[in-house]
Amino acid sequence: MAIKPTPENQNQDQPAEESRDDSTVEKTLLKNHFVRALGQLERLHRCLLELIKLELDRQISEQEVTSAQALFLYNIGDGKLSATELRIRGYYTGSNLSYTIAKLVEGGFLHYERTVQDKRVVRLSLTEKGHEIKSMVAAIYEGHVPVLEEKGVTAEDLERLVSALKRLEHYWAEHIRYGF
């Protein structure tokens, strides 16, 4: 049997009210952490591009490639990929992708080959110059591993971070596709 609220038993309703307050506080905290995390991701990406730029400046006398283009070459790797595959992997969008490919082909960093089966499909692969840039970016990444350990960043920390970012990416992809 339900108890009718009276001044004597009104404290019994307090936990429900407190849980609503806790839920509001928790949602506010989640929103604040979410916005801070997005800002941190943006700053990290800019820092990565700046690190690559510094290394390019140090190793290459004439600046032929930007840090974003160097990262593009690293993402292509040793395989032969189509522009569509790069877009599907989530690295790049249409016009940005076309411009970057054109510049890298023009600079001699990428091979651009149409497939025999379908002339509309283009396969991209790195030239020798492209491999040099890819190797430089790989060396930057490799050089950070010992420092991560010194700073107390563990493989488990990074695994949890990547897992959370993948969940966020999945949510956004669904939101983009289906709306909410």
Side-chain angles (χ1 to χ4, degrees), residues 2 9 23 42 53 58 66 70 95 102 123 131 143 167 169 178:
N9 66 12
S23 173
E42 289 177 46
K53 180 187 179 307
R58 193 175 73 70
T66 67
S95 62
R123 289 280 184 215
H131 277 287
R167 287 192 308 272
E169 179 186 17
Y178 309 115

Side-chain angles (χ1 to χ4, degrees), residues 78-139:
D78 294 326
K80 285 189 173 188
L81 300 174
S82 69
T84 303
E85 288 168 320
L86 286 166
R87 200 174 65 247
I88 288 170
R89 289 180 182 188
Y91 292 132
Y92 303 95
T93 58
S95 62
N96 181 332
L97 182 61
S98 298
Y99 175 81
T100 301
I101 290 169
K103 284 296 191 184
L104 291 170
V105 168
E106 182 182 304
F109 295 95
L110 273 182
H111 290 293
Y112 182 93
E113 303 169 36
R114 296 203 179 274
T115 62
V116 176
Q117 301 87 350
D118 187 346
K119 296 293 182 192
R120 296 171 297 174
V121 177
V122 174
R123 289 280 184 215
L124 304 170
S125 60
L126 302 182
T127 63
E128 188 59 39
K129 281 175 70 173
H131 277 287
E132 289 172 16
I133 300 296
K134 181 199 79 118
S135 295
M136 187 203 65
V137 173

Side-chain angles (χ1 to χ4, degrees), residues 6 46-47 57 117 124 156:
T6 61
R46 283 194 302 270
C47 283
D57 291 346
Q117 301 87 350
L124 304 170
E156 185 179 284

